[in-house]
Amino acid sequence: MSRTPMALLSPADQERLRGLRRMKAVALGALILMAALFVVAFWLRDQHPWLEYVRAAAEGGMVGALADWFAVTALFRRPLGLPIPHTAIIPNRKDEIGRTLGEFVETNFLSGDVVRAKLSTAAVSRRFGEWLREPAHAERVAAEASTVASAVLRALSDDDVQDLIADLAREHLVEPDWAPSAGGWLQRIVEADAHRGAVDLAVDSIAGWLDANAHTFSGLVSRRLPGWVPKLAHRFVDETVYHEAVRFVAAVQADPQHPARLALDGYLGRLAEGLQHDPAVRDRFEGAKSALFDSPRVIALAAQAWETAKTGMLNALADPQSGLRRRAASALSEIGERLASEPALQARVDGWVTDAAVFLVDRYRHDIASIITDTVEKWDAAETTEKIELMVGRDLQYIRLNGTVVGAMAGLAIFAVAHALIPGI
């Protein structure tokens, strides 16, 4: 009988306990009935000889009931508390039972052939696709994935992420020597005249700025003239400088072979050559690159970028109506539709799932089965006995009841045969 208070048991265990108690009462009632029949038959056998048959049946029923009571009780505890060998089997051999159960599961269930045979007929991808293509299910998966992703983002330390970004940037951006590669790219750009578009854009931008900012030339040069120069000359000098700048830029715009353009081409070509072959130029370039990445402003900008990205991701993941969540749910629904309707895709996915499951089972079957062994070993012997008795004890009480009936029939049959074959009995 369970020693755990009824209130501490789960509803399912409470129902099992009530069923176990009922069956124990029935089995005990059958034994008491056999004992009462035996007493009555033994007492009245001289007046009614036919009661010998009843006595024999009752005697056999009592023997069968007691024998099966002993057998069932010996599984869980010592009958009547007596130290009889090979009793209290479950509490005494709990660890061995756990190991045997683990070996049984490992051998008969955690087998690559068993898993492959089961999954080959399960149509996993098609069933999953039919379930996933429903918009409500796709939204549910997207919501669960968003919850997990949000938890991961919140668990990440901002300092650790920034340090990781800095380490990755230093490993892949700062430490590698960019100069030869940059020089090679620049050389190919110049040789292909691919830089002309950028030059045109720069010249056009300068022309537009000059057109909109003529006032900035007021005093640009004239303030540096001697004080005795008339004010009229100051204005003339500033306007002359402005108009010359405008004419120069216009000339550069109009002439693809303008000396300024050719000078820029020559400079870019020399820069490309220096980046590839001149150690001094390469050192200056790498120094400028390192100074840029190590700049406090760049570091602060990277930290701010991470904070902004993290906040944006968390907000998008938390909002069911965000574009991210809607696109994720739509993509999942489309994946489900394809899995449900494309046999070729189903075959590939089923193959991947089966191969992955077989690999995991073959590689970790012992570790998986050891969960059973280790769990049973950690259980208290009395607790283990209670758990098992609640699960199977009710069915075992039928053994006692059946033993009573079979014993009675056997006793009656033996007495009847003996009475028929041996005179005087």
Side-chain angles (χ1 to χ4, degrees):
M1 197 70 67
S2 174
R3 298 183 302 173
T4 304
M6 177 72 81
L8 299 180
L9 296 175
S10 67
D13 283 343
Q14 292 179 14
E15 182 61 29
R16 293 188 185 101
L17 180 58
R18 285 190 287 268
L20 174 61
R21 288 173 174 171
R22 283 195 298 269
M23 283 308 304
K24 281 187 174 183
V26 170
L28 179 61
L31 173 59
I32 294 174
L33 175 62
M34 291 296 106
L37 289 176
F38 176 80
V39 171
V40 171
F42 191 84
W43 184 25
L44 300 176
R45 61 179 178 172
D46 291 335
Q47 292 89 338
H48 306 283
W50 59 271
L51 287 177
E52 288 289 344
Y53 291 92
V54 176
R55 181 190 64 81
E59 185 176 6
M62 285 191 298
V63 172
L66 291 172
D68 287 339
W69 165 82
F70 181 89
V72 171
T73 303
L75 288 173
F76 303 104
R77 58 189 60 84
R78 297 187 183 280
L80 302 178
L82 300 175
I84 303 173
H86 303 294
T87 57
I89 295 174
I90 290 176
N92 289 335
R93 302 180 62 184
K94 171 180 66 70
D95 294 346
E96 183 179 349
I97 292 172
R99 287 192 296 271
T100 302
L101 181 59
E103 292 173 359
F104 176 79
V105 171
E106 179 179 356
T107 303
N108 295 279
F109 295 94
L110 300 178
S111 167
D113 293 338
V114 173
V115 173
R116 186 177 295 278
K118 179 62 178 177
L119 291 179
S120 63
T121 61
V124 175
S125 61
R126 179 179 59 79
R127 293 181 179 180
F128 179 68
E130 292 175 350
W131 181 85
L132 186 61
R133 67 181 175 182
E134 297 294 331
H137 296 161
E139 291 175 3
R140 177 181 175 186
V141 173
E144 295 296 336
S146 298
T147 301
V148 173
S150 298
V152 172
L153 283 174
R154 290 191 176 93
L156 292 176
S157 168
D158 292 341
D159 293 337
D160 291 341
V161 172
Q162 292 168 15
D163 291 342
L164 176 61
I165 294 174
D167 292 341
L168 292 175
R170 184 164 298 280
E171 179 181 355
H172 298 287
L173 299 178
V174 180
E175 293 180 358
D177 191 355
W178 282 16
S181 300
W185 277 100
L186 181 58
Q187 182 178 1
R188 286 190 287 272
I189 289 172
V190 173
E191 290 175 350
D193 287 338
H195 66 293
R196 293 298 175 89
V199 174
D200 290 340
L201 177 62
V203 174
D204 292 342
S205 299
I206 294 173
W209 183 86
L210 287 173
D211 184 59
N213 295 276
H215 63 280
T216 60
F217 279 78
S218 178
L220 182 65
V221 177
S222 60
R223 73 169 60 99
R224 293 174 174 79
L225 295 175
W228 51 267
V229 176
K231 295 296 183 180
L232 183 61
H234 287 204
R235 180 178 178 183
F236 175 78
V237 169
D238 290 336
E239 290 180 352
T240 300
V241 171
Y242 172 71
H243 290 303
E244 286 298 325
V246 170
R247 280 195 293 270
F248 175 79
V249 173
V252 174
Q253 281 182 300
D255 186 3
Q257 299 299 321
H258 192 278
R261 288 179 180 269
L262 297 179
L264 179 60
D265 292 346
Y267 169 76
L268 293 176
R270 291 190 299 274
L271 178 60
E273 184 69 18
L275 287 173
Q276 295 180 82
H277 306 293
D278 188 341
V281 175
R282 292 170 60 172
D283 290 344
R284 290 176 61 188
F285 179 84
E286 295 298 333
K289 181 191 69 175
S290 298
L292 174 64
F293 281 106
D294 290 336
S295 170
R297 290 189 176 182
V298 173
I299 295 174
L301 179 62
Q304 183 180 3
W306 162 247
E307 285 289 342
T308 302
K310 178 181 177 181
T311 302
M313 285 291 293
L314 288 174
N315 291 336
L317 290 171
D319 183 7
Q321 301 303 319
S322 67
L324 177 62
R325 287 277 293 271
R326 290 199 303 270
R327 285 192 290 272
S330 176
L332 289 169
S333 183
E334 291 177 4
I335 292 173
E337 183 64 34
R338 292 191 60 192
L339 284 174
S341 59
E342 297 183 16
L345 181 60
Q346 293 172 9
R348 288 199 301 272
V349 174
D350 286 342
W352 297 336
V353 172
T354 300
D355 291 342
V358 170
F359 171 79
L360 292 174
V361 166
D362 287 341
R363 188 175 183 88
Y364 299 106
R365 57 188 295 182
H366 181 70
D367 297 323
I368 297 173
S370 67
I371 296 175
I372 300 174
T373 303
D374 296 341
T375 301
V376 173
E377 287 180 352
K378 293 177 182 178
W379 283 351
D380 177 73
E383 180 184 1
T384 304
T385 302
E386 285 188 15
K387 289 179 180 294
I388 297 177
E389 187 173 15
L390 284 177
M391 294 300 297
V392 302
R394 181 175 180 274
D395 295 325
L396 291 178
Q397 298 307 311
Y398 281 102
I399 296 177
R400 294 176 55 188
L401 188 60
N402 292 338
T404 303
V405 175
V406 172
M409 295 174 62
L412 177 61
I414 292 172
F415 180 79
V417 171
H419 190 272
L421 298 179
I422 302 175
I425 294 181

